[in-house]
Amino acid sequence: MFNQKSNEFNVDIDKPRLFIYSILWPFMIIAVAAVILHRPQDANWIESLTISAIHVLFALASFGCFFTWTSNFSEKFLPEISKIFQARRKEFDSSLSKLELESIFDGLVDHGFLDIIDHSTFLHQRQIFIKIFQTRKFLDSPEFQLKMDNIQTHYFSEQLKKRGINLTLEGYLTIFSHYRANEKPQPTPGSIRASASKAKKGPKRKNDLDSIFQF
C-alpha cells in the first residue's frame, strides 16, 4: 500500500481515511481499556457520568471510523474539506507590510509604469494590489498592465523577490500584464528570461525601478 502501485488504493479517499483512523482508533482502544480496567464504585452521579462518557467516546470514535466508508464521506465531506483547505492555501510567499505594498504601488504609478485614470480608480486598484500580496492568492486574470519591457520586467520581479515576495515569473504574469503597442503578444516566462540573459547592461530607468523599493 505504501511502496507499490495498487488500483485498489485511492489516494484521494484512502489517505484521509487512514488519517482519521489514526486519530479515532486510539480513542476506541482507550475506551475499551477504560471499561476493562474500571472498578465500579458506589452508584452515584459521578460513576454514572464516567460510564456514560466512556460509552459516548467509543460510540463517537466508532461512528467516525464507519463514516469514512460511506458514500457521504467521499462525495460530500471530502470535497467540502478540500474547498476549505484550498481557500486557506497560500499560492506564494509575501512578507511585506501594507505600508510597503502601498509604497510599491504608488511608486509604479508615480514613475509612469502603471497608468491610473482617476483618484477613485487609483484607490480601488491599490486595494486590489495589497489584497493580492496579503492573501497571497492569484486572480483569474492579470489585473495590472505595466509599461515595462522584458528586461525591466525581469529586474522588477527580482527586486520583489529580494523584498520577501517569493514569486516565480509564471506567478508574476498572473498578476501583471504588460503594455504592448501594435498588438504584440504578451511576454512569457521564457521570453523574459531570454531577454534578461542576453542583456549586456541593466534595465532602462534602473534608478526609477530602484526608487520604487525605497521604503
Side-chain angles (χ1 to χ4, degrees):
M1 183 170 61
F2 290 103
N3 60 9
Q4 296 181 7
K5 292 183 178 180
S6 172
N7 294 329
E8 298 179 359
F9 186 76
N10 187 327
V11 174
D12 295 331
I13 298 175
D14 290 322
K15 284 184 69 176
R17 180 182 292 138
L18 284 172
F19 175 72
I20 292 174
Y21 260 73
S22 70
I23 295 174
L24 297 182
W25 190 258
F27 283 106
M28 295 176 66
I29 300 298
I30 291 171
V32 171
V35 171
I36 295 174
L37 300 175
H38 181 67
R39 296 294 180 265
Q41 306 295 326
D42 295 335
N44 54 48
W45 67 273
I46 297 179
E47 180 72 15
S48 299
L49 187 61
T50 302
I51 296 299
S52 298
I54 293 173
H55 282 85
V56 169
L57 178 63
F58 183 84
L60 291 176
S62 299
F63 174 78
C65 291
F66 171 78
F67 177 69
T68 64
W69 296 95
T70 65
S71 58
N72 284 335
F73 177 73
S74 58
E75 296 174 5
K76 297 180 180 180
F77 180 76
L78 286 182
E80 290 300 321
I81 292 297
S82 178
K83 289 179 183 178
I84 293 174
F85 278 99
Q86 287 293 329
R88 294 181 177 180
R89 183 174 66 88
K90 308 303 180 184
E91 297 178 311
F92 63 95
D93 294 328
S94 174
S95 59
L96 293 182
S97 67
K98 180 180 178 181
L99 289 176
E100 290 169 334
L101 292 170
E102 287 180 348
S103 179
I104 293 175
F105 183 86
D106 294 352
L108 289 171
V109 175
D110 292 342
H111 292 289
F113 293 112
L114 179 63
D115 283 340
I116 300 294
I117 300 175
D118 52 43
H119 184 65
S120 62
T121 302
F122 169 82
L123 294 177
H124 178 67
Q125 289 287 93
R126 186 166 70 172
Q127 185 177 12
I128 295 175
F129 184 87
I130 293 170
K131 181 179 179 181
I132 291 172
F133 290 99
Q134 286 191 328
T135 61
R136 289 165 279 179
K137 294 183 71 67
F138 300 124
L139 300 179
D140 294 332
S141 59
E143 181 68 26
F144 309 100
Q145 188 178 74
L146 299 183
K147 291 185 174 181
M148 294 184 184
D149 59 28
N150 282 0
I151 299 174
Q152 289 173 319
T153 296
H154 188 271
Y155 184 81
F156 179 64
S157 68
E158 289 299 310
Q159 296 308 303
L160 288 175
K161 288 182 182 179
K162 291 180 180 179
R163 269 69 181 186
I165 298 179
N166 187 17
L167 193 64
T168 64
L169 280 175
E170 287 78 6
Y172 174 93
L173 292 176
T174 67
I175 300 173
F176 302 102
S177 62
H178 292 79
Y179 174 78
R180 293 292 184 266
N182 302 321
E183 297 184 353
K184 290 183 179 180
Q186 286 290 313
T188 65
S191 67
I192 293 172
R193 293 188 184 99
S195 297
S197 65
K198 294 177 183 178
K200 296 181 180 180
K201 56 182 181 179
K204 300 175 183 177
R205 302 181 60 192
K206 181 178 179 298
N207 291 336
D208 289 341
L209 289 170
D210 287 338
S211 67
I212 292 173
F213 298 94
Q214 292 178 2
F215 43 73

